[in-house]
Amino acid sequence: DMGVSRDAKFKGELVTGTGACLASTCIEQDAAYWEVHVVSNKGRWSVGVSRDIGIEGAAGGPSEEAWSLSFADAKAEEGDVIGVAFGQAELPNLRFFVNGLMVPEASVLRLRGTVSPSVTVAGGATLMLIFDAGAFVHTPPRTHTEIRTSRGII
């Protein structure tokens, strides 16, 4: 079972248990950024973007529907901050950062279509998802901002 709870102190979403989680907002802006804080590095986890959560998304790693940075590739420890930058108009489209330093081998060059932030946890991993720009630890890459929900024209 997976648990998601709001943490008012850190202005984030705490994700624990076992499973996959897809954000309720898709990325529609040109350049978006969010952070994932590693609260507990026990077990396995992945962070990235997905079109949908299914077998591929739950397993983590690249697939036809999900692109992510895994715990093994991040080499992150408890307290580390994973930054995720998705840009529609620049290449690579998807970039990952660990404590502000880009992980070039995890970048996804061309990613098209509608995607949403996604995360998987298993085996005791706990992650804090930060979507509030005021709570970011690192400065987003140029032109990237927090994810903004779309608004209807009418």
Side-chain angles (χ1 to χ4, degrees):
D1 290 340
M2 179 175 221
V4 178
S5 60
R6 180 86 178 136
D7 186 306
K9 179 181 175 187
F10 293 102
K11 299 181 182 178
E13 307 298 327
L14 193 65
V15 181
T16 62
T18 299
C21 184
L22 184 67
S24 61
T25 300
C26 62
I27 304 168
E28 294 181 344
Q29 68 208 64
D30 285 341
Y33 177 82
W34 64 98
E35 290 183 344
V36 180
H37 298 208
V38 181
V39 177
S40 171
N41 205 28
K42 297 174 186 163
R44 302 175 314 277
W45 54 263
S46 67
V47 299
V49 296
S50 298
R51 294 192 208 291
D52 193 8
I53 291 292
I55 299 296
E56 297 86 3
S63 75
E64 293 295 318
E65 300 295 320
W67 301 264
S68 63
L69 176 69
S70 73
F71 70 101
D73 293 333
K75 298 177 181 70
E77 299 178 6
E78 288 183 13
D80 285 350
V81 176
I82 310 299
V84 185
F86 179 76
Q88 305 273 8
E90 59 186 50
L91 298 177
N93 294 124
L94 180 62
R95 293 177 288 160
F96 298 96
F97 301 82
V98 176
N99 297 325
L101 300 174
M102 193 166 102
V103 183
E105 60 274 12
S107 295
V108 178
L109 188 60
R110 293 190 189 278
L111 197 155
R112 299 286 182 243
T114 303
V115 294
S116 298
S118 62
V119 61
T120 65
V121 292
T126 302
L127 303 174
M128 175 76 68
L129 282 66
I130 306 292
F131 296 108
D132 182 338
F136 290 162
V137 172
H138 299 283
T139 302
R142 141 187 102 70
T143 74
H144 288 69
T145 60
E146 74 277 5
I147 297 173
R148 296 188 178 123
T149 57
S150 63
R151 298 181 190 166
I153 296 175
I154 298 176

